[in-house]
Every structure is written in structure tokens, then in C-alpha cells.
């Protein structure tokens, strides 16, 4: 019978820096209690005496004279054999863990060869068996080995699990015909189950496994070739075979309007699941969208807004904020159809006026909707939740949303306004350069004698337009624009005006075109000014000398807020002349001035 053990030659370096032959023996590895670690053992083939006993150290390099794949094959066979003693299996898996840790010190080329050899020898099937065992120490060491493989080459792990799923599907078809259930668990589902069932109060193992899953589902490290795209294939596999396992604890805990279990460890676990789902929303556009809408995942997630743990409620809010941030109308219609702002508004009102992270996060979400002008969500929020939010005045977010909604509704009722804006914009900024040159040439070629006093020069391009057709919609647009500006000022300055002293003059705007300027001075509050009758130096007082009138300042209150006015008294005749000149201007010239 042929001896299959590894046969080696042992040399030692003497004091003269020469190599001494110690003999030939067989090498093995094992845990040595005296050295407190895995060690290499070489026993002489003649009498079995110990030729070498050396602890495996990452800082020590070992060279082998020949490739011996039999060693790894035997190692994996012993690891997966049910007849292997538990203590022996623990020693073997610890040795394999240190072996992988030692590989981190190798050069990239040697490390690639090392992991390829492990993969070819069947390390992933061996890990799948080890992870399914009950020994927690063995499972922990196997998790560390799996992390080395994922960090080295996640594509290698993805390829294995997809091949495994294909084989299981083929087996399941045959077993279905025989009415037998296939209970084989995929490696990646085994990782998810260990994450969910972690018994550590701090969930240290679950955090590590969640990081590995995140690496596996990250499209940034997926390969794309001419024949196939790893992203498409793996994500299709993951959402078909694995996503339901990941979301199982979330769906089980959100069947009612509040979480079924709200202890700290469950909240930590659900926060990890939400973190991974939020990552999927950001990087898996198509697959996660279909899964969320078809499984009504967002509704279940928002149930966690009622959790007593603030960090879990914030995780649920962050998940929804990530969805809204995509500005995808498929998501928006799903949110509106299911009224999924209701849990957020309830949480906001329940939080009250407390200035905390929950308050800021909710306001920021609504502010994003307002700033980005997401019309569908703006209309939905105002139409359904305005009565609950209208009293919130310490921020202008909700009043700004209301203003956006009213502007949007006004544009829908008057579609000509949008066309007027585009006409004015094009007329103001996008006029043809050749037209401008022609008008300038015409201006300089015109004799001044040919132009009568008060006559306005109109460009040829404006003469071709119908003045009545232009002025009517433009004047309406300008009136509406002024009203909108006043409304915006009222919203933005309302809180700033509280507590201010009433001004001396008020400007009241009636519904018509008249403007009434009323004065409310008091003898105690206002001193006699040079421009007022009865004061020293005024034209009406005795002994006064006529002087040029000085400007009189007045504070004016309009609908939009305080406006400072300076009154320059001029002769009435000058005003009348200016009005006469303005009346003589043609309509097209007025349109230019107004624009």
C-alpha cells in the first residue's frame, strides 16, 4: 500500500551558516497546547521521532518542494465528515482560519494562487457544511474564513451560489415529480439566517455578516463581459431566492399598526435589515422597485415609525427618504395610492415641538419635496394633510408647500401662463442676433428731423405683431406675477414682522386700482418736521423762508410686509407732463418697458 502522507526533507542552519541534514520524514499539522497555536510537525520516517515542531507564524515563510493537493482535499474531507470528532474539527477549522490569515501577508500574485487553489479544492462547499453545524465556535471560525474569501474575490462566491441554486432547481424539479421536498439551503441564505439568529446581545456577528452581504450585492464590484452581465444574473438570483429570507423578520414584526416585538435586540436586528434594504434602494433600481411595490414593503417599514426606539424609527424614515430622493413617479404613485405619508405625519405630530433628530429629519424630507418641486407629492400632502400641518409656523416649509400647490393649481387652471412665460423669456433673451443688427442699422439711418417730439421708435419686428393680442395676456401675467410676489413676501416675512412697532404711514390696497395713503401721526410720537404745516420753517408757518423741499421718509405697510418710501415733492405740472408722455407711447413700446 502506497503511503500518501507528505514526505519532506528537513535541514537546519548551523552556527557556521551551513545547512545540516536532519533526515527525511512526514509532515503534518495540528494544534500544540505547549505552543498555543497550530504548528507544523515532522516525524522521521524511520523511527517516528520528532524532527521538527514549529508554530505557524504569519511572519514566517514556508516553501514546499512539490504541490500536494491531497493535503487540502483531506482537510476538507475531515471538516465535513460527520464522524470527525468535534474537538478535531475545531482544530482543523482554526488551522484553516490561520492559514487564510497568513495569506494576507503574501504578495498579490501568490495570494491569488492561494485562493484559487482553495476554491478548486472545494472550500466553499466545505464552509457550507461547517456553517450548518451547531458548534458556535466552529461557525464563528467558518464565518471569518468566508469573510476572507468575499473580500478577496466576491465574484467567485457569487458564481458558486448561482451554480448551487441552478443545481438545486434541477434537483427540485426531479423531486417534485416524485413528490419529495428539497430542503437544501443555499450558502447565502445560510449566511442570512445566521445574521437573523445571532444570539449576541450586541449582534457583533450579525453586523459582520451584514457587511459581507452588502459586499456581495454591491453592483460596483460586479463584472460585465461581452457575453453576460454579472449584475443582471446575480440580482435576478438574489431577489428570487434570497430576498424573502432577508425580509422575513421585518414582515413578521409589522403585521399590526405597531411593532409586534419592540425589545432592544429585535430593534437592532431590524435596523440592520433596513440598512441593507436602503442600500438596495440606492443601487438596485429595477429589482428592488418591483419587490417593494409588489410586497408592499414600504408600508411595513413605516410601521416601525411607532417604535419606542428612536434609532429604529429613524432607520424607517431614512428608508422612505431614500425612495423619495429618487424622484421616481412609480414610487410616488405607490406612496400616494397607499397614503404612506400618514405614519410620518403622525410621528411628526406625536413628537410635538421638541427639537430633536426626528423633528429635523421629517422637516428635511418635506423641504426636499418643496425645493425639488415634486408636484405629485406636493399636491398629495397639501390635499390630505394640510389641516394637520397648517399651524406649524416655526419653519416655513409647510407654508412653502402650500404656496407651491397653489401656484401649480393656478397653472393648471390657466395654461396660457406657462406659454406667456416662455414667450417673454424668448423675447427677452433669445432674440435673433440678425434682427438686432437690422434694428440698429435702421436706428442710425433714421434722421432725427423725421422723428417728431414724443414719437417712439418701434422696431420693424415689433410692428409686425398685433399690439392688442400681446398686451392683453402680458398685462394679466404681470398682475398675477405681482400678486405672487406679494404672497411670497407675506409667507417669508410673517414671522419677522411680529413684535415690530406700527409704522407712521400705512398703504392700503383696495381691490381696484386705487391706492390710499393714510397718515396716522400723533403729536406725542412725531415731532414737527420741516415739511409739515405749522412747524418752524414750513411754508405755511409765519416767518418761514421758502426753501427747496426736502425729501420726507415714510414707512409703508403693504400686504407683503414693510417697504420704505421716500417722498420727493415735485410740481404737479411735471407729473402731468410725464403722464402725457407716457400716454403717447405706443402699445408695443409699453410692452417692452413692462417686460
Amino acid at each position: 500500500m502506497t503511503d500518501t502522507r507528505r514526505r519532506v526533507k528537513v535541514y537546519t542552519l548551523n552556527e557556521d551558516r551551513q545547512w545540516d541534514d536532519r533526515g527525511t520524514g512526514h509532515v503534518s499539522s495540528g494544534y500544540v497546547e505547549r505552543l498555543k497555536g497550530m504548528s507544523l510537525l515532522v516525524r522521521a520516517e524511520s523511527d517516528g521521532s520528532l524532527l521538527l515542531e514549529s508554530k505557524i507564524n504569519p511572519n514566517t515563510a514556508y516553501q514546499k518542494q512539490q504541490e500536494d493537493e491531497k493535503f487540502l482535499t483531506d482537510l476538507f474531507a475531515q471538516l465535513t465528515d460527520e464522524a470527525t470528532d468535534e474537538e478535531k474539527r475545531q482544530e482543523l477549522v482554526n488551522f484553516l482560519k490561520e492559514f487564510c490569515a497568513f495569506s494576507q501577508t503574501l504578495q498579490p500574485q501568490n495570494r491569488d494562487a492561494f485562493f484559487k487553489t482553495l476554491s478548486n479544492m472545494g472550500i466553499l462547499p466545505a464552509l457550507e457544511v461547517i456553517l450548518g453545524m451547531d458548534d458556535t465556535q466552529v461557525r464563528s471560525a467558518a464565518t471569518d474564513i468566508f469573510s476572507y474569501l468575499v473580500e478577496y474575490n466576491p465574484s467567485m462566491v457569487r458564481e458558486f451560489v448561482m451554480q448551487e441554486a441552478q443545481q438545486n432547481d434541477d434537483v427540485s424539479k426531479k423531486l417534485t415529480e416524485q413528490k419529495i421536498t428539497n430542503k437544501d439551503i443555499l450558502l447565502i441564505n445560510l449566511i442570512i439566517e445566521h445574521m437573523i439568529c445571532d444570539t449576541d446581545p450586541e449582534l457583533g456577528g450579525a453586523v459582520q455578516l451584514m457587511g459581507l452581504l452588502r459586499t456581495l450585492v454591491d453592483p460596483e464590484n460586479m463584472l460585465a463581459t461581452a457575453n453576460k452581465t454579472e449584475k443582471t444574473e446575480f440580482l435576478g438570483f438574489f431577489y428570487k431566492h434570497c430576498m424573502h429570507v432577508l425580509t422575513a423578520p421585518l414582515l413578521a414584526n409589522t403585521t399590526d399598526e405597531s411593532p409586534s416585538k419592540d425589545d432592544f435586540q429585535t430593534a437592532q436586528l431590524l435596523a440592520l435589515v433596513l440598512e441593507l434594504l436602503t442600500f438596495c434602494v440606492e443601487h438596485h433600481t429595477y429589482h428592488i422597485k418591483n419587490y417593494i411595490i409588489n410586497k408592499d414593503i414600504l408600508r411595513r417599514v413605516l410601521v416601525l415609525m411607532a417604535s419606542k426606539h428612536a434609532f429604529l424609527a429613524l432607520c424607517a424614515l431614512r428608508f422612505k427618504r431614500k425612495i423619495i430622493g429618487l424622484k421616481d413617479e412609480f414610487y410616488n404613485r405607490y406612496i400616494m395610492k397607499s397614503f404612506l405619508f400618514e405614519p410620518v405625519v403622525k410621528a411628526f405630530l406625536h413628537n410635538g415641538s421638541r427639537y430633536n433628530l426626528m423633528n429635523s429629519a421629517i422637516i428635511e424630507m418635506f423641504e426636499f419635496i418643496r425645493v425639488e418641486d415634486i408636484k405629485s407629492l406636493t399636491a398629495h400632502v397639501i390635499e390630505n394633510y394640510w389641516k394637520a400641518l397648517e399651524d406649524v409656523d416655526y419653519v416655513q416649509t409647510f407654508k412653502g408647500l402650500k404656496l407651491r400647490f397653489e401656484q401649480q393649481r393656478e397653472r393648471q387652471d390657466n395654461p396660457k401662463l406657462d406659454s406667456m412665460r416662455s414667450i417673454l423669456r424668448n423675447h427677452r433673451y433669445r432674440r435673433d442676433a440678425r434682427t438686432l443688427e437690422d434694428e440698429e442699422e435702421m436706428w442710425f439711418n433714421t434722421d432725427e428731423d423725421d422723428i417728431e417730439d414724443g414719437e417712439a421708435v418701434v422696431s420693424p419686428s415689433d410692428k409686425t405683431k398685433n399690439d392688442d393680442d400681446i398686451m392683453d395676456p402680458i398685462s394679466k401675467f404681470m398682475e398675477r406675477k405681482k400678486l405672487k410676489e406679494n404672497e411670497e413676501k407675506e409667507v417669508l416675512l410673517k414671522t419677522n414682522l411680529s413684535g415690530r412697532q406700527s409704522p407712521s404711514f400705512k398703504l392700503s390696497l383696495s381691490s381696484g386700482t386705487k391706492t390710499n395713503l393714510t397718515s396716522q401721526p400723533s403729536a406725542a410720537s412725531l415731532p414737527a418736521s420741516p415739511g409739515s404745516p405749522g412747524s418752524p420753517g414750513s411754508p405755511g408757518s409765519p416767518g418761514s423762508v421758502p426753501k427747496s423741499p426736502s425729501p420726507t421718509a415714510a414707512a409703508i405697510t403693504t400686504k407683503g410686509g414693510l417697504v420704505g418710501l421716500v417722498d420727493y415733492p415735485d410740481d404737479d405740472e411735471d407729473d402731468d407732463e410725464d403722464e402725457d408722455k407716457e400716454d403717447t407711447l405706443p402699445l408695443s413700446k409699453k410692452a417692452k418697458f413692462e417686460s
Side-chain angles (χ1 to χ4, degrees), residues 292-293 295-303 305 316-317 319-321 323-324 330-347 365-366 369 377 380-381 384-385:
I292 289 175
I293 295 177
K295 301 294 183 180
D296 200 15
I297 296 296
L298 182 55
R299 175 186 292 279
R300 295 297 192 90
V301 169
L302 292 177
V303 171
M305 293 285 294
L317 183 63
F319 180 74
K320 181 174 182 177
R321 173 65 176 82
I323 290 176
I324 293 177
F330 285 99
Y331 277 129
N332 294 344
R333 285 195 291 268
Y334 163 61
I335 291 173
M336 294 184 293
K337 181 180 179 181
S338 302
F339 294 92
L340 296 182
F341 274 103
E342 183 175 345
V344 178
V345 174
K346 284 183 178 179
M365 183 176 67
F366 285 108
I369 296 174
L377 295 184
H380 176 75
V381 170
N384 295 278
Y385 308 105

Side-chain angles (χ1 to χ4, degrees), residues 254-320:
T254 55
T255 55
D256 300 326
E257 295 184 356
S258 60
S260 302
K261 294 177 61 178
D262 205 16
D263 58 280
F264 180 74
Q265 189 167 358
T266 302
Q268 276 191 311
L269 174 62
L270 293 178
L272 288 177
V273 173
L274 286 180
E275 183 178 348
L276 190 56
L277 289 177
T278 304
F279 178 83
C280 293
V281 169
E282 185 177 2
H283 294 85
H284 306 165
T285 54
Y286 171 74
H287 296 85
I288 189 65
K289 184 195 305 181
N290 289 340
Y291 189 82
I292 289 175
I293 295 177
N294 293 334
K295 301 294 183 180
D296 200 15
I297 296 296
L298 182 55
R299 175 186 292 279
R300 295 297 192 90
V301 169
L302 292 177
V303 171
L304 302 178
M305 293 285 294
S307 172
K308 66 182 180 181
H309 301 284
F311 69 90
L312 181 58
L314 288 170
C315 286
L317 183 63
R318 187 185 304 118
F319 180 74
K320 181 174 182 177

Side-chain angles (χ1 to χ4, degrees), residues 17-65:
R17 310 298 295 175
Q18 299 295 326
W19 292 100
D20 293 337
D21 187 359
R22 294 286 305 275
T24 303
H26 297 282
V27 65
S28 63
S29 64
Y31 185 83
V32 178
E33 183 66 26
R34 181 175 60 83
L35 299 178
K36 301 297 182 182
M38 297 297 297
S39 303
L40 289 178
L41 305 175
V42 180
R43 298 187 179 275
E45 60 181 356
S46 57
D47 57 0
S49 61
L50 190 63
L51 299 179
L52 176 68
E53 185 183 57
S54 177
K55 181 181 178 181
I56 298 176
N57 193 317
N59 297 323
T60 305
Y62 294 93
Q63 293 181 346
K64 53 185 180 179
Q65 295 179 342

